[in-house]
Every structure is written in C-alpha cells, then in structure tokens.
Amino acid sequence: MDARAGWAELGYHFADARWAPTISYRVSYFSGDDPATSAYERWDPLLSGGTGEQWVQGANHFKVVQDSNVVAHHIQARFKMSPRIEVVPQFWAFRADELNNIGGNPALSVLSDDEPGYEANVTVKWFKSKNTYIHGHVAYTVPGSAAKAALGGSAKDWLSVMAFVRYAFRASGRSPPSPQKRGIPMSEPHDSAENLERRALLKVLGAAAMTGGLASPLAAETAQPAAMPTTLGAYAMPWDPADPALPGRQNIVPVPEDYFVPGRFAGKTALVTGCARGMGRLAAMRLAREGANVVGVDWIADEGQAVIDAILSEGGKAAFVQGDISETAVCDAMVQAAVGHFGGLDCALNNAGVMDAIFPGDPIDYASQKDLVMARIDEASDDYWDVVMRVNATGTFRSLRAELRQMLAQGRGGSIVNVASVVGLRGFGGTPSYVASKHAVNGLTKNAAIDYAPASLKAY
C-alpha cells in the first residue's frame, strides 16, 4: 500500500473586532488507498481534525462517501459571542482524488465525475459553567451528482442535528495547596473555557458520535478547586526597631496580591482602565477572582492583554480593549465591549493616569525626553502639560461620560470609582499638570456624585 496525505491551512484572527472573529481556509488530501488490496485502511484524510466541531463533519458525510482518496476544501469562521458562547460556521467541498478509486462505499467505487459532495454546518458551544460544556451542531450535507447517480438516486441530501453534554466531576482528596505568607492561600486556576474544550473532549464527543445521541456525564481531569482565603490578620505591625522619637510608630501591612473575597462581585461586570500595570492590574485580577466579568483597558497592548490572559487562565471572565482613554472612540468601545461580551456594565474603576508625557512603554532617555517630564511651571513644556491633562482629566471625563450613559440606559444603578491622588487635595512641588489634573478628577467625581445620585449611580 502506498498512501499519501497532507494538509495546508491559512487564517487570520481579528482580535480587536467585535466577537473576535477568526476565518481560515484549509485544503487536505488523501491518496493511494486501494480497496482492491488487503491493506485497505479507509483512512481519514485529515478531514475531521477532532477539535470540537470538525469531527462531526466525518459523521455526516460518511453517510454518503467514506473518507478515502478525497481532497477536501474547508472554510471556517469562528465568533466569540461572549466568553461562554462560541459559534463556528463551516463550509466543506469534497472532490475525488481518483475517479476509479473513491473507496469506502462500494456503490461509489467508480464515479463519472470528481465531486463527492458538499456540506455546510454550524456549531454552537456553550460553556455553561466550569464543569459543564454543551455542544450543538446542525449540518446539511449534499452528495455530488455523480454520487447520487452511482447510488441510483438513493443518496439524498442529509440534514443532521446533534447535541452533546460534557460534565467534568471535580476530583477530591487531593493535597491542599501550600500555605502562603500570612496564612492567605492563593486562589488556584480554574478551567477556562478553552481548557474545558480541550480536556478529554475527543473522548466524550467520540462516545456521543458512536451512540448518535446525548453523551452521558463522564468523569474527567479537572483543576484543583480554588482555595478559600483566610482572614487578613494584623492591619499594622510595630516599627522594627522602635522609633524613640515616635512612640507607637507602626508600619501598615500591605494586602497580599493573592487575597480576595470569593463571590463578592459574582454576576457583575466591571471595567478597569489602566489595567496593564500597578493598581489597575491588581484590581482587575482581584475583581475577576471575586466573580466579576472584567473589561480591561490600556494603551500598552501586550501588557494589558497579558493581564486578561492571566485572568482567563485562572478560569475568570475577561476581555481587553487597547487604546487611549482620552479618545472618545476608545471610551465608547470599552463600554460596548462590556455590553457585547457580558450584557451590560455594573461598575467601573477609572484608574488610568500618567505623571508625565513619556509613553509608559518607551525606554527612558532623558536627553530626548526632557521636555516631556515633570517640571516647575516656568520650565514646563506644552507637551508635558497637554498630555498629562488630556489623559488624567479629559480621559477621566470621557470614561465617566461613556460609563454613565450606559448605566443610565440600563436603569439599574451602578458604581464608579475614579482614582485621584493626595495631590488632588493639596499642592505638591514640581508637578503642575499632575496636581491640576488630579484636582480636576476630584472635582469631576464630586459633580458626578451629585448629578447621578437620583439614578442610584454612585461616584467615588
């Protein structure tokens, strides 16, 4: 037997577009499988792939033409309607590699042309929870005219509707995680939607294909359950060594990065600007660990996306929007991302801000950047003043405006926290634009608190 198979694929992922669509084209072939030989294998010519939706194609088209000596053209799109729902439409075109050797079905061993058939299908995946995955599939298969003729007209168009359920039991009896410092354990990662799809999916859906019905719940490998955090402990610790000039002086103990309150924001959607670093990163991670759907926003694309990826890897729900919050289009897009992915917006942390006009992702080079750094008023440049005021004051205003419009339209209240600074309450030398911008943030917050209190919208 001399059989050959191969495939090539080309695709593109529109990561920043709504529903993050992916479109791809794949061509695959299998040749040389000879039904006249004892080693006739009826091999699958890389058509099914076994990746969730594609394997079902084999179950459908196999009804008419088995997968031997076939060239398959495959066009697929993929849409993330939300972190829990994925829709995958596909189109397949099958051609015979050799007219005298289509293989498989004896009635189709010799064809008068090279079109075994076509198929269009749509798969919908719903990750109902960390344990439960539901998969629906509708396909319409059309045998080629030669295939129908070879079967004497008995090969009809084929409509297939399938549904499957996968349930993963959580394993018990595992060793607990090692204690973290101060006795506060870190929340361990949950299964993400993608992990839930990958883990043992072939086995479960394969069983469903064999039975042709609804798969029974099967045990599968899962991540360890998240550890529950303990109490925080002391708020402050005595100064060590003691300060004789200040009896009773203490150090405030920072809250550990891995501390969280389970379920506090369950079912809520939170927007965090400036999510790539510092307070914004920690806030986004903690909100997700406490049950919130998180939309992170930052103009540092790679670091902002990394925070969202970290949330997803722990089993959280999150989406990323890249851009400058001083632009109206970015503020509108981040709110629409919350609505498109999670159905609305419940709270926001307007944290994004800068102290000077140097882009945070750029390396430091004082010689070329001296006009962009903080300086006294008589030495300050227009660029320093304009950038800091634009991001901190105008950006907070435009973020507030987009968030408040959505919350008013929803009519269910909400909370917005604007991050200012102590310099927004007092003066501070050498940073005129930063001081002025943070005073502006405090003023905007007071204004919003008054204007929107009747609508149960709280601004802090």
Side-chain angles (χ1 to χ4, degrees):
M1 178 180 192
D2 180 19
R4 298 164 301 282
W7 65 276
E9 185 166 2
L10 179 68
Y12 190 80
H13 176 50
F14 300 87
D16 296 328
R18 188 179 184 186
W19 300 334
T22 298
I23 187 165
S24 62
Y25 164 75
R26 179 171 66 171
V27 58
S28 56
Y29 78 96
F30 184 88
S31 179
D33 200 3
D34 187 354
T37 66
S38 60
Y40 177 44
E41 297 287 351
R42 303 183 185 180
W43 288 355
D44 182 335
L46 306 178
L47 297 181
S48 63
T51 55
E53 63 278 339
Q54 294 173 11
W55 74 271
V56 185
Q57 171 275 321
N60 294 335
H61 203 266
F62 187 86
K63 310 288 185 183
V64 180
V65 181
Q66 293 184 9
D67 296 339
S68 294
N69 299 327
V70 173
V71 177
H73 300 275
H74 171 217
I75 299 174
Q76 173 181 282
R78 185 183 299 270
F79 302 95
K80 281 278 191 182
M81 313 299 286
S82 78
R84 291 177 178 264
I85 299 177
E86 185 175 84
V87 177
V88 184
Q90 298 182 99
F91 177 77
W92 299 78
F94 304 97
R95 306 184 76 87
D97 179 60
E98 300 177 43
L99 295 183
N100 64 344
N101 183 19
I102 189 61
N105 193 324
L108 301 177
S109 292
V110 178
L111 295 178
S112 57
D113 68 35
D114 63 353
E115 294 188 54
Y118 305 90
E119 182 172 308
N121 59 51
V122 177
T123 297
V124 178
K125 305 175 184 179
W126 178 29
F127 300 91
K128 185 175 183 297
S129 69
K130 295 181 179 68
N131 298 68
T132 308
Y133 166 86
I134 298 174
H135 178 127
H137 184 85
V138 177
Y140 193 76
T141 304
V142 180
S145 58
K148 290 184 177 182
L151 290 174
S154 62
K156 305 296 184 182
D157 296 353
W158 185 273
L159 176 65
S160 174
V161 180
M162 305 181 187
F164 309 91
V165 174
R166 178 213 179 212
Y167 185 84
F169 292 100
R170 287 201 171 275
S172 60
R174 298 191 180 189
S175 300
S178 59
Q180 305 295 316
K181 62 181 181 178
R182 296 184 64 219
I184 303 174
M186 179 181 292
S187 173
E188 296 195 7
H190 297 296
D191 283 342
S192 67
E194 281 71 21
N195 284 340
L196 198 57
E197 178 183 357
R198 293 188 186 105
R199 288 184 176 178
L201 185 60
L202 275 178
K203 286 192 245 182
V204 178
L205 295 186
M210 294 296 290
T211 60
L214 194 67
S216 301
L218 299 178
E221 179 187 358
T222 60
Q224 296 183 27
M228 298 296 288
T230 59
T231 58
L232 277 174
Y235 174 78
M237 300 293 288
W239 198 268
D240 186 18
D243 186 347
L246 293 172
R249 185 177 184 182
Q250 298 191 53
N251 262 333
I252 294 176
V253 178
V255 176
E257 291 189 13
D258 54 9
Y259 177 77
F260 68 99
V261 180
R264 181 163 62 164
F265 289 96
K268 302 295 184 181
T269 296
L271 195 157
V272 180
T273 67
C275 73
R277 298 177 177 178
M279 293 187 298
R281 180 183 70 85
L282 293 175
M285 295 292 293
R286 183 164 171 181
L287 280 163
R289 288 169 179 164
E290 296 189 355
N293 311 313
V294 176
V295 176
V297 185
D298 208 288
W299 58 6
I300 308 176
D302 54 348
E303 294 184 39
Q305 184 63 59
V307 172
I308 300 307
D309 291 343
I311 290 173
L312 295 173
S313 72
E314 290 190 2
K317 300 174 285 293
F320 179 64
V321 175
Q322 189 272 333
D324 180 351
I325 58 155
S326 67
E327 298 176 7
T328 297
V330 171
C331 294
D332 291 342
M334 69 189 189
V335 171
Q336 285 307 306
V339 175
H341 285 282
F342 307 115
L345 180 64
D346 299 291
C347 47
L349 176 64
N350 293 322
N351 164 76
V354 296
M355 293 192 70
D356 54 39
I358 300 173
F359 182 71
D362 290 347
I364 301 299
D365 179 13
Y366 180 75
S368 63
Q369 298 168 340
K370 60 183 180 180
D371 288 341
L372 305 178
V373 300
M374 60 187 69
R376 299 188 316 178
I377 293 175
D378 65 300
E379 299 172 339
S381 69
D382 286 347
D383 286 341
Y384 160 68
W385 174 266
D386 291 343
V387 171
V388 175
M389 289 298 293
R390 190 194 80 223
V391 175
N392 293 1
T394 303
T396 300
F397 162 73
R398 289 177 175 161
S399 297
L400 268 172
R401 182 174 62 184
E403 293 154 2
L404 287 166
R405 285 173 175 172
Q406 177 61 33
M407 290 178 176
L408 286 170
Q410 293 171 175
R412 62 178 189 238
S415 297
I416 299 174
V417 176
N418 298 324
V419 176
S421 168
V422 67
V423 305
L425 302 173
R426 49 162 289 178
F428 197 83
T431 59
S433 188
Y434 186 69
V435 171
S437 68
K438 290 303 183 179
H439 272 77
V441 170
N442 278 329
L444 277 169
T445 305
K446 293 173 182 177
N447 172 259
I450 293 170
D451 279 347
Y452 299 99
S456 297
L457 294 172
K458 303 176 180 63
Y460 304 93

